[in-house]
Amino acid sequence: MPDTLADAAPRCYWLDDPARPDPLPPLLEDVTADLVVVGGGYAGLWAALRALERDPGRTVVVLEAGSCGQEASGRNGGFASASLTHGFGNGLERWPEELAQLDRLGAENLAAIGETVERYAVDCDFRVSGELTAATAPHQVEELAALGEAMAAAGHDVEVLDAAATRARVDSPTWLGGLHEPGGTALVEPARLAWGLREAVRGLGGVVHEGSPATGLAREGAGVRVRTVRGSVTARHVVLATNAFPSLLRRLRLMTVPVYDHVLMTEPLDAEQRAAIGWAGREGLADAGNLFHYSRLTRDDRLLWGGYDAVYHWGSRIDRSLEQGRTHALLAEQLVDTFPALADVGISHRWGGVIDTCTRFTAFFGTALGGRVGYAAGYTGLGVAATRFGADVVLDLLAGEETERTALRMVREKPLPFPPEPLRWGGITATRHSLAAADARGGRRNLWLRGLDRAGLGFDS
């Protein structure tokens, strides 16, 4: 690969889009509403949209500190997974008795997203492409085969591939085998999805204020008042959807940690480069390591390459300066190692973004202030689709409704919190080093990881 990484634009490709909508005005007064949503990413926008769809007469206000979709919702790889449990394996380990139900609900949720995109004419290149998980080490071949067998037994449409069959789908000399699931993942252009949801909310009468960071919330009569820097919203109910960013509820601040993920986008591949790697199915791609990469093609045949080195910063620090770093150079090397035929391709964009992770890898839910405030957080890098499901869960909880969703043990239970510093930093650092060591040692998990497994704890992006 030519030494063009320094010339790559240090900004997110998805947000660097001429279709980006103009900003919306901030909240400058005190208003009332039936529902106020704090956060204008997927979680908040889905909550607002589903609230309006479920009750068209409801008044809904969304408060976004910056602009809708500018954080994790606009910076990710665009993998919309049907899984609500961060993969079949994690669900099988934690909620085996209800996994079939969770898988059904997840498939219905993904289908509903496709229907929403069509109904509101959201131009985000939504396509059910499936996903290919590739093994790059012998132990991963065995693990994928076992996973594929368990998924097939549970009724999933999956195919375990040998090295030749894997390379026939996407050609890399590093592939030793794979697992192909043709229907469980859709690919989207993530920022455009967020912008489309924003406009759908407004089209149904919702009010969206950007540049309006929420600074506090408190009971106000029978409702709750959410303060911003220039105004406030008093509402019957509040949905908190800030995820990686500090919650207005202090009780949630140890439940997640912010983790930085880094991404590269190439220049468009020419016909020779496309032919060299195959990828006729245009499926989402990931490898099976603990420190894994994810990749996909865009509609103009750029290759997105991200992941591997999830980075936690001391004190749960979040800062724009952390979006650029040495991980980009590492990713560039690994891209060429995986696809030598692309050694001459240029890199157009390099960026990073912060996501929230929790110790069980899946979202958790709850209410506060006497049932007036609802929240969902902890999507751990798999929130493109799961946030819609989470929005319905939170709306069910705020309405006091007993539904199939609220009866789930996954919804009723919460993960264990992360410890405060310095234990948080030490534990996460030990876990990341142990995961890398397991990848290098045939998958063998050391005493630290085995202890976390027994406790049902983990760290992931």
Side-chain angles (χ1 to χ4, degrees), residues 259-262 291-292 307-311 326-327 330-331 432:
V259 178
Y260 276 85
D261 187 45
H262 297 87
L291 304 183
F292 65 94
Y308 187 75
D309 191 13
V311 181
R326 62 182 182 180
T327 298
L330 179 63
L331 285 171
R432 290 181 64 244

Side-chain angles (χ1 to χ4, degrees), residues 36-366:
V36 56
V37 178
V38 180
Y42 291 145
L45 292 169
W46 278 121
L49 182 60
R50 293 296 295 133
L52 291 163
E53 291 178 335
R54 288 166 58 152
D55 182 1
R58 192 178 334 201
T59 55
V60 176
V61 174
V62 177
L63 301 175
E64 163 55 37
S67 59
C68 291
Q70 76 170 12
E71 301 299 343
S73 296
R75 296 167 180 266
N76 61 82
F79 286 60
S81 173
S83 176
L84 302 174
T85 60
H86 208 271
F88 182 87
N90 190 50
L92 185 63
E93 180 179 340
R94 297 180 187 277
W95 305 287
E97 79 286 357
E98 62 187 26
L99 183 55
Q101 183 183 14
L102 286 165
D103 284 347
R104 173 179 57 79
L105 290 170
E108 292 171 357
N109 180 66
L110 182 59
I113 292 173
E115 293 164 2
T116 299
V117 167
E118 183 176 2
R119 182 185 320 127
Y120 296 105
V122 179
D123 180 17
C124 64
D125 198 31
F126 180 95
R127 64 180 73 195
V128 179
S129 60
E131 186 168 358
L132 174 66
T133 305
T136 59
H139 71 276
Q140 295 172 9
V141 175
E142 299 172 3
E143 291 167 356
L144 287 180
L147 176 61
E149 182 179 353
M151 293 180 69
H156 287 258
D157 180 14
V158 295
E159 182 182 9
V160 177
L161 307 177
D162 62 16
T166 304
R167 294 186 63 174
R169 298 201 68 89
V170 184
D171 194 11
S172 167
T174 66
W175 299 160
L176 302 180
L179 182 66
H180 181 231
E181 186 177 8
T185 299
L187 293 179
V188 301
E189 294 171 340
R192 286 192 173 204
L193 175 60
W195 299 335
L197 294 176
R198 186 188 83 155
E199 294 313 300
V201 168
R202 298 178 71 210
L204 294 183
V207 178
V208 180
H209 290 288
E210 298 182 325
S212 301
T215 58
L217 79 166
R219 295 175 188 260
E220 183 84 9
V224 178
R225 183 179 181 220
V226 178
R227 300 185 305 278
T228 72
V229 292
R230 297 186 182 93
S232 68
V233 184
T234 300
R236 180 182 178 189
H237 289 129
V238 178
V239 172
L240 297 180
T242 53
N243 291 290
F245 293 85
S247 175
L248 295 177
L249 289 176
R250 288 191 174 274
R251 72 175 71 173
L252 300 182
R253 294 190 179 181
L254 292 180
M255 299 301 292
T256 66
V257 296
V259 178
Y260 276 85
D261 187 45
H262 297 87
V263 191
L264 301 177
M265 185 71 84
T266 74
E267 298 287 357
L269 306 185
D270 62 29
E272 183 179 351
Q273 291 165 332
R274 283 284 285 112
I277 62 174
W279 218 334
R282 305 184 71 87
E283 57 267 72
L285 178 66
D287 61 53
N290 290 314
L291 304 183
F292 65 94
H293 304 89
Y294 56 87
S295 187
R296 48 85 55 94
L297 296 171
T298 65
R299 68 168 97 184
D300 65 345
D301 281 340
R302 296 171 187 266
L303 188 151
L304 177 145
W305 180 257
Y308 187 75
D309 191 13
V311 181
Y312 171 75
H313 296 276
W314 173 272
S316 294
R317 183 182 170 211
I318 298 175
D319 191 275
R320 287 286 180 219
S321 65
L322 303 177
E323 295 171 5
Q324 302 292 326
R326 62 182 182 180
T327 298
H328 288 128
L330 179 63
L331 285 171
E333 295 174 3
Q334 293 166 337
L335 171 58
V336 175
D337 290 342
T338 303
F339 298 115
L342 303 184
D344 293 330
V345 72
I347 302 296
S348 68
H349 293 74
R350 52 182 169 89
W351 73 93
V354 62
I355 62 175
D356 66 331
T357 185
C358 72
T359 57
R360 74 179 193 185
F361 309 145
T362 64
F364 59 91
F365 314 90

